[in-house]
Amino acid sequence: MKKYQNVFFIFGLSVLIIMITQLDFAQVWAGLQRAGYWFFAVIILWFFLYMFNASAWYIIINSQKPDISAIAQADTDNKNEGTAQGVQTTNKDGERKKVTFWWLYKITVSGFAINYATPGGLMGGEPYRIMALAPRIGTERASASVILYAMTHIFSHFWFWLVSIVLYITTQEVNLPIGLMLAAIGAFCITAIWFFLKGYKKGIAVRCMNILRHFPMIKRWANGFLERHKQQLDDVDRQISALHNQNPRTFAGAVILELLCRIVSALEIFFILLVIMPEANYIQCIIILAFTSLIANMLFFIPLQLGGREGGFLMSAKGLAMTANAGIFVALIVRVRELVWTAIGLLLIKLEKK
């Protein structure tokens, strides 16, 4: 595990350094001076926002029934037999280490930091989370909890965008082009929500692999992977469906926490806009965040969504009759905040207790 931690840390640090070198330091310094203490308020805000994320993942892990994960537990116990003492994950009484909230909080922050720095987003942070969690609860159970949380995280985005559409319609003037665009986004979100609900009820791991088998470039790999890991994927799907079917309150709680995190995170934009627009209101900030996150997620393959997030801020600010300078200022401060928390997350990787 230590070797993989170092790989994630070095890769993330390298990308972070590249990101920093692309900044205009004079512009950044001028922006920070202008923001003043509001910049520190934004940094502190994200300490609490990550609590929402960690709490959602925490209740997902604790909702997994022991009988559901029995296969995964036995599989991991067998693998641990004969391993060196330096990598044992049980204590002297033979019990596994507990997954505490603050340990999970640290893994959550580090996972998001790797996602920010990795092209493709989930290609970096999720494998890291699985490898960190597997020694404590078993590989299949760890994989299922990470997939469940990733699904819940994405699922809440679609609900957030739907809520934002309603807010826009009820608070802003809607013309024909904007109305058509909102209708298209709404239809897309509803379709995605339907797909995710199906995945929650019946599992999504095997379904996704079956979809990948139809893509020309990767179907050969997908066929081989599905044949080799069919049993493990079925175990993961059983745990995924269990959260929705056996623990509907836990499922709803995790989704609500993630949705609340989106809504509360609009405070970041609100704090920044107060510096230059004292008349800014919170509803506008939610709409700006929704539109910007939609653009950024469409460009998920770019590390830190460079350019896409800035473009989203500019377009959303213009759509709400704000100045271009307001959009640029918000984008600059948000970008610096992301770099700060990415650096914190990468440093937390190195703080794993021996």
Side-chain angles (χ1 to χ4, degrees):
M1 178 61 190
K2 209 67 177 178
K3 180 180 70 173
Y4 291 109
Q5 284 181 337
N6 291 332
V7 170
F8 281 114
F9 174 76
I10 293 171
F11 174 78
L13 184 62
S14 301
V15 176
L16 179 64
I17 292 173
I18 294 173
M19 302 299 172
I20 293 175
T21 59
Q22 303 303 308
L23 294 175
D24 184 335
F25 292 101
Q27 185 183 26
V28 170
W29 178 243
L32 292 177
Q33 284 183 311
R34 190 177 186 183
Y37 59 83
W38 284 113
F39 174 72
F40 296 100
V42 167
I43 297 295
I44 295 171
L45 172 66
W46 276 87
F47 173 82
F48 296 100
L49 290 176
Y50 282 125
M51 285 187 180
F52 284 93
N53 301 132
S55 297
W57 191 17
Y58 187 72
I59 64 175
I60 286 173
I61 292 172
N62 287 325
S63 72
Q64 292 174 307
K65 301 292 185 180
D67 58 329
I68 296 174
S69 59
I71 297 176
Q73 188 76 27
D75 177 69
T76 306
D77 288 338
N78 290 333
K79 291 180 180 178
N80 284 336
E81 291 180 5
T83 56
Q85 292 184 355
V87 294
Q88 286 183 338
T89 59
T90 55
N91 60 25
K92 60 184 179 181
D93 297 321
E95 297 178 351
R96 292 185 177 276
K97 296 177 182 178
K98 292 182 179 180
V99 178
T100 63
F101 175 79
W102 289 110
W103 178 84
L104 201 68
Y105 180 90
K106 183 180 79 70
I107 300 300
T108 298
V109 175
S110 296
F112 277 117
I114 297 171
N115 278 344
Y116 280 133
T118 306
L122 302 180
M123 292 173 63
E126 274 33 64
Y128 167 77
R129 294 182 190 191
I130 292 172
M131 284 191 286
L133 190 59
R136 296 176 181 247
I137 63 175
T139 302
E140 273 76 19
R141 188 179 169 194
S143 301
S145 73
V146 171
I147 293 173
L148 276 167
Y149 175 70
M151 288 173 61
T152 303
H153 185 74
I154 299 171
F155 187 62
S156 66
H157 269 87
F158 296 114
W159 281 109
F160 178 60
W161 293 330
L162 278 180
V163 170
S164 300
I165 290 173
V166 175
L167 290 177
Y168 191 97
I169 293 173
T170 55
T171 62
Q172 307 294 321
E173 184 178 347
V174 180
N175 54 34
L176 181 59
I178 292 179
L180 292 175
M181 181 185 70
L182 293 178
I185 295 174
F188 170 71
C189 290
I190 292 173
T191 302
I193 289 172
W194 172 82
F195 175 80
F196 271 84
L197 287 175
K198 286 287 186 180
Y200 275 118
K201 289 181 179 180
K202 300 181 180 180
I204 201 169
V206 174
R207 290 164 65 92
C208 286
M209 292 306 302
N210 283 328
I211 292 174
L212 292 177
R213 292 169 66 183
H214 295 86
F215 286 83
M217 299 294 292
I218 58 175
K219 64 180 182 180
R220 187 173 182 180
W221 169 85
N223 284 325
F225 186 89
L226 186 60
E227 291 177 3
R228 293 191 303 270
H229 301 284
K230 184 64 166 61
Q231 182 61 52
Q232 291 93 330
L233 292 173
D234 286 338
D235 292 338
V236 168
D237 276 344
R238 278 195 291 271
Q239 294 179 62
I240 289 174
S241 60
L243 177 66
H244 184 274
N245 299 330
Q246 298 179 14
N247 301 282
R249 290 184 179 179
T250 299
F251 167 77
V255 174
I256 290 171
L257 279 170
E258 284 291 313
L259 179 58
L260 284 175
C261 184
R262 302 285 170 282
I263 295 173
V264 176
S265 64
L267 280 173
E268 176 180 43
I269 299 174
F270 185 62
F271 290 163
I272 299 170
L273 284 179
L274 284 178
V275 178
I276 56 177
M277 294 178 57
E279 71 278 8
N281 67 73
Y282 193 60
I283 299 298
Q284 286 181 322
C285 295
I286 294 175
I287 295 172
I288 291 173
L289 177 63
F291 187 79
T292 303
S293 65
L294 178 63
I295 298 296
N297 280 279
M298 290 171 63
L299 301 174
F300 67 92
F301 51 87
I302 302 176
L304 283 172
Q305 290 96 33
L306 286 177
R309 192 177 296 276
E310 285 76 4
F313 278 120
L314 286 171
M315 293 174 66
S316 57
K318 183 179 179 181
L320 293 172
M322 296 181 182
T323 64
N325 287 336
I328 293 172
F329 183 64
V330 171
L332 175 65
I333 300 302
V334 170
R335 178 63 64 197
V336 176
R337 184 271 303 165
E338 287 179 338
L339 292 173
V340 169
W341 271 103
T342 299
I344 292 172
L346 294 176
L347 288 174
L348 288 176
I349 294 177
K350 303 301 294 181
L351 295 181
E352 183 73 19
K353 293 181 179 180
K354 293 183 180 180

